[in-house]
């Protein structure tokens, strides 16, 4: 007998997405998860919705489903930056720091302007060093028949083994493991140490362990899963920040007043990395107000430190102005955003930081477009052209400049920039940007009344849209093709009418001249 079809939830995709986002911000991750699941029933495979649901799973501690959704969001678009970041974050939380580092690097290559990928690289590298020591301490031997096994696969197998129910002979006894010093464990778990001690006490109550909940779940299973989770967290925190580092931090805090309250470089570095990560995460989670406030607080703190405490102080200040500007733009405060990005540009030029100059020009151009100052956006982005490093960056830059020229009705220049964008997209092999660039060229040709060429390019764009399964783009291109085809037919008809009139005039003159 065939399984009954899953009922379609009452509501719209956008409605469920909006409600889920709001619930996620409030910290109601279970309810947000349900909303995103309903949204996916209406639009299966939507990559943005998959990332949103993956975040919920991660907040709820379900790393396996979080990883599945993150990987699903990348199925049709391997360059989807939000999917890459979410996969990296999930792998990091699972303790798979090496694979997390790989995906942070991929995201950073695709979107170098996003601070979160750089911060991800830094925290993964720090966690790896905490686990195995510095690279110089590791000696590799060249042996035959080496097998490289994914740590990710090993981790999944380990999780599956943990889920196997205890046999009757084992009752509720846990597998013997090396006994960890209670003092060490308390330092690792912090406030959760008392919870673990309470769960271990419950294990000794045999009557309680034999009982079950109303849902039929054994209390013993719940207690053991809780202890297992705390053990995993303890191991994870040990990898991220070993005990010796925690003890050293505490001693430094105690001796701070003796050393004129000067912070150690390691402490400063950790504070900066954590703060920048928080700022970026708040902005990514659609909380620009909190992101802006956090960035302003960190900026004030860093400005109060000396150059000896923060060697790259000016670079950090510029970076923070950039973060503030991005948050202000999301809040709709365009004038304030422009001033913040100009401050970033000023610090970058004063300190001869070409990458920061490029970033600032990029952001200033975006703000000008939002303000409707298209000509100023063009001038800003054209200044950035020599600084563009990758083909992907050039593709985006040429496309945006061409789009601005199209708005100014300078169709010929727009066409030239569209062709440059297409050339860079071909070099990068990015089908999605090939689609955008081809559409821009076709739009410019329509304004130039070169309908034949426009039809050819729209047809090419349609093939690209089909290739990446972009249904919205396909519909828009088909409508544009229909309009251009009608204009082309009208042009041909007018041409025939003019030819006919000219022929009739010639015949009349011939008749008049004939005796």
């Amino acid at each position: 007998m065939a399984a009954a079809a899953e009922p379609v939830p009452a509501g719209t995709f956008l409605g469920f997405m909006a409600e889920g986002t709001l619930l996620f911000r409030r910290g109601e991750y279970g309810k947000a998860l349900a909303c995103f699941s309903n949204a996916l029933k209406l639009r299966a495979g939507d990559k943005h919705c998959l990332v949103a649901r993956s975040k919920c799973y991660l907040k709820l501690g379900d790393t396996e489903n979080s990883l599945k959704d993150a990987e699903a969001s990348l199925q049709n678009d391997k360059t989807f930056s939000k999917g890459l970041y979410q996969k990296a974050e999930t792998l990091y939380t699972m303790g798979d720091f090496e694979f997390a580092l790989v995906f942070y690097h991929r995201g950073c290559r695709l979107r170098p302007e996003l601070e979160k990928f750089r911060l991800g690289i830094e925290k993964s590298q720090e966690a790896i060093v905490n686990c195995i020591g510095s690279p110089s301490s590791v000696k590799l031997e060249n042996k035959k028949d080496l097998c490289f096994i994914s740590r990710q696969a090993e981790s999944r197998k380990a999780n599956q083994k943990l889920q196997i129910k205890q046999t009757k002979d084992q009752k509720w006894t846990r597998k013997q493991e090396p006994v960890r010093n209670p003092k060490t464990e308390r330092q690792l778990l912090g406030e959760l140490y008392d919870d673990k001690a309470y769960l271990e006490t419950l294990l000794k109550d045999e009557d309680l362990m034999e009982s079950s909940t109303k849902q039929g779940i054994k209390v013993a299973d719940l207690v053991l899963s809780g202890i297992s989770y705390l053990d995993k967290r303890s191991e994870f925190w040990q990898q991220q920040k070993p005990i010796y580092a925690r003890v050293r931090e505490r001693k430094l805090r105690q001796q701070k007043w003796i050393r004129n309250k000067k912070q150690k470089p390691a402490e400063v570095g950790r504070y900066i990395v954590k703060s920048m990560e928080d700022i970026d995460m708040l902005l990514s989670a659609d909380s620009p107000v909190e992101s802006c406030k956090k960035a302003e607080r960190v900026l004030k703190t860093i400005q109060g430190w000396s150059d000896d405490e923060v060697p790259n102080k000016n670079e950090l200040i510029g970076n923070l102005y950039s973060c503030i500007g991005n948050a202000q733009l999301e809040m709709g405060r365009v004038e304030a955003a422009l001033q913040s990005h100009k401050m970033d540009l000023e610090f970058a030029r004063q300190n001869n930081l070409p990458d920061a100059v490029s970033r600032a020009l990029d952001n200033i151009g975006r703000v000008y477009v939002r303000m409707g100052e298209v000509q100023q956006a063009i001038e800003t982005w054209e200044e950035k052209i020599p600084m563009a490093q990758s083909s992907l960056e050039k593709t985006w830059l040429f496309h945006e400049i061409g789009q601005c020229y199209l708005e100014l009705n300078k169709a010929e220049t727009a066409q030239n920039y569209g062709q440059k964008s297409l050339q860079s997209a071909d070099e990068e092999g990015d089908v999605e940007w090939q689609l955008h660039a081809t559409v821009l060229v076709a739009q410019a040709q329509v304004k130039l009344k070169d309908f034949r060429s426009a039809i050819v390019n729209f047809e090419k764009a349609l093939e690209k849209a089909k290739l990446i399964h972009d249904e919205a783009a396909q519909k828009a291109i088909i409508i544009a093709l229909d309009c251009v085809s009608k204009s082309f037919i009208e042009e041909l008809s007018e041409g025939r009418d003019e030819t006919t009139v000219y022929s009739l005039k010639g015949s009349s003159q011939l008749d008049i001249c004939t005796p």
Side-chain angles (χ1 to χ4, degrees):
M1 185 176 175
E6 195 172 17
V8 177
T12 64
F13 174 79
L14 293 176
F16 283 124
M17 283 293 289
E19 186 181 357
T21 303
L22 184 62
L23 289 167
F24 185 88
R25 285 185 203 164
R26 292 176 180 170
E28 298 180 41
Y29 306 119
K31 293 180 181 179
L33 178 67
C35 286
F36 292 131
S37 295
N38 283 333
L40 284 167
K41 289 175 187 176
L42 295 171
R43 192 180 294 178
D46 183 89
K47 58 186 181 182
H48 295 283
C49 190
L50 283 166
V51 166
R53 192 171 72 171
S54 175
K55 288 179 181 178
C56 292
Y57 278 128
L58 196 58
K59 288 288 185 182
L60 294 168
D62 188 351
T63 52
E64 188 174 348
N65 278 320
S66 177
L67 185 61
K68 283 180 183 177
D69 277 355
E71 288 176 338
S73 73
L74 295 166
Q75 190 171 359
N76 296 322
D77 183 5
K78 302 295 183 187
T79 62
F80 180 43
S81 63
K82 290 183 179 179
L84 286 170
Y85 181 74
Q86 185 58 25
K87 184 172 182 179
E89 285 286 283
T90 305
L91 289 167
Y92 181 85
T93 305
M94 293 169 72
D96 205 345
F97 304 123
E98 293 89 344
F99 278 96
L101 183 60
V102 169
F103 286 96
Y104 283 129
H105 270 298
R106 285 186 190 175
C108 193
R109 282 197 298 272
L110 289 167
R111 298 293 302 275
E113 75 277 9
L114 295 180
E115 190 70 18
K116 62 185 178 182
F117 285 115
R118 188 182 66 77
L119 293 171
I121 291 169
E122 288 178 5
K123 71 179 183 182
S124 295
Q125 288 173 338
E126 185 181 358
I128 291 167
V129 170
N130 286 338
C131 290
I132 62 172
S134 63
S136 59
S137 66
V138 180
K139 293 182 180 180
L140 298 177
E141 296 180 4
N142 187 12
K143 294 182 179 180
K144 294 182 180 180
D145 300 323
L146 290 175
C147 296
F148 296 94
I149 302 171
S150 164
R151 283 188 59 200
Q152 187 176 340
E154 289 179 358
S155 140
R156 285 179 184 171
K157 287 179 183 177
N159 287 337
Q160 287 171 2
K161 287 178 182 178
L162 285 169
Q163 290 169 1
I164 298 172
K165 291 185 177 179
Q166 302 287 326
T167 63
K168 290 182 180 178
D169 294 333
Q170 288 174 316
K171 288 191 178 179
W172 315 290
T173 57
R174 295 163 60 207
K175 187 179 176 182
Q176 286 294 320
E177 295 176 357
V179 179
R180 181 177 281 159
N181 188 320
K183 186 178 178 182
T184 301
E185 197 162 38
R186 182 180 287 277
Q187 289 172 339
L188 283 168
L189 290 173
E191 295 177 359
L192 295 175
Y193 178 79
D194 293 334
D195 296 328
K196 186 183 177 188
Y198 176 69
L199 291 173
E200 287 175 337
T201 305
L202 290 180
L203 278 178
K204 298 174 184 178
D205 188 337
E206 293 190 7
D207 292 334
L208 178 63
M209 294 300 102
E210 289 284 0
S211 63
S212 300
T213 65
K214 291 180 180 179
Q215 289 77 26
I217 303 170
K218 282 193 173 182
V219 174
D221 292 338
L222 291 173
V223 172
L224 286 169
S225 65
I227 294 172
S228 174
Y229 174 77
L230 290 173
D231 283 339
K232 286 180 187 176
R233 290 295 86 194
S234 177
E235 290 171 10
F236 176 67
W237 291 326
Q238 170 72 10
Q239 290 170 336
Q240 277 199 293
K241 192 180 290 183
I243 285 297
Y244 65 80
R246 295 166 186 257
V247 173
R248 183 170 178 272
E249 281 180 17
R250 189 174 66 255
K251 287 180 179 177
L252 286 170
R253 284 197 297 270
Q254 291 171 349
Q255 297 172 2
K256 192 184 275 187
W257 61 275
I258 300 174
R259 306 190 177 200
N260 298 322
K261 296 182 181 180
K262 286 186 179 179
Q263 297 192 50
K264 286 290 181 183
E267 289 180 339
V268 172
R270 276 192 290 271
Y271 167 78
I272 291 169
V273 169
K274 180 67 169 61
S275 298
M276 296 302 290
E277 183 180 13
D278 289 346
I279 291 164
D280 192 66
M281 283 181 68
L282 285 167
L283 191 60
S284 301
D286 295 329
S287 301
V289 177
E290 289 80 1
S291 177
C292 187
K293 286 179 181 177
K294 175 81 174 176
E296 287 171 344
R297 286 196 300 270
V298 175
L299 176 62
K300 189 175 180 180
T301 302
I302 290 177
Q303 285 174 331
W305 287 341
S306 66
D307 291 340
D308 292 334
E309 289 176 297
V310 190
N312 59 337
K313 179 178 175 180
N314 289 326
E315 184 180 354
L316 277 169
I317 289 173
N319 204 337
L320 283 164
Y321 273 120
S322 176
C323 293
I324 291 168
N326 289 334
Q328 288 168 334
L329 188 62
E330 288 295 316
M331 293 156 62
R333 296 169 55 192
V334 287
E335 292 290 347
L338 182 61
Q339 292 307 313
S340 295
H341 287 308
K342 282 185 175 180
M343 287 294 292
D344 178 25
L345 182 61
E346 184 181 338
F347 271 89
R349 283 176 171 161
Q350 285 175 359
N351 296 279
N352 192 27
L353 301 167
D355 289 344
V357 170
S358 178
R359 175 190 67 210
L361 290 172
D362 184 355
N363 289 325
I364 289 170
R366 292 174 194 264
V367 177
Y368 276 136
V369 168
R370 184 76 71 88
M371 295 170 71
E373 302 288 345
V374 181
Q375 184 58 49
Q376 287 178 287
I378 289 171
E379 291 169 6
T380 304
W381 279 333
E382 285 183 338
E383 186 182 348
K384 175 184 161 68
I385 291 174
M387 304 174 195
Q389 296 177 351
S390 65
S391 298
L392 193 61
E393 189 178 3
K394 289 177 184 176
T395 299
W396 174 86
L397 190 57
F398 290 143
H399 179 273
E400 294 304 299
I401 296 172
Q403 200 69 46
C404 288
Y405 274 116
L406 196 64
E407 288 186 31
L408 294 174
N409 290 318
K410 295 182 178 180
E412 191 170 348
T413 311
Q415 180 181 231
N416 291 337
Y417 272 107
Q419 288 167 344
K420 288 180 181 179
S421 177
L422 181 58
Q423 184 181 348
S424 298
D426 288 339
E427 290 173 6
E428 185 67 26
D430 192 306
V431 179
E432 190 170 355
W433 274 110
Q434 288 170 359
L435 164 63
H436 296 320
T438 307
V439 169
L440 175 60
V441 172
Q443 288 174 323
Q445 288 167 340
V446 170
K447 290 209 171 190
L448 291 168
K449 297 192 181 300
D450 185 0
F451 299 123
R452 189 188 297 274
S453 299
I455 289 170
V456 171
N457 279 307
F458 273 130
E459 286 175 346
K460 288 180 181 178
L462 184 60
E463 291 302 315
K464 301 287 184 187
K466 288 177 181 177
L467 197 61
I468 61 174
H469 307 290
D470 191 334
E471 293 181 5
Q474 290 177 49
K475 290 176 183 177
I477 292 167
I478 289 168
I479 292 169
L481 261 173
D482 186 49
C483 293
V484 177
S485 299
K486 287 177 182 177
S487 300
F488 185 48
I489 292 167
E490 287 173 6
E491 185 183 52
L492 290 175
S493 300
E494 287 173 6
R496 288 198 195 97
D497 292 344
E498 287 176 6
T499 305
T500 305
V501 170
Y502 180 78
S503 300
L504 288 171
K505 283 182 179 179
S507 301
S508 302
Q509 289 172 358
L510 184 64
D511 291 341
I512 291 168
C513 295
T514 304

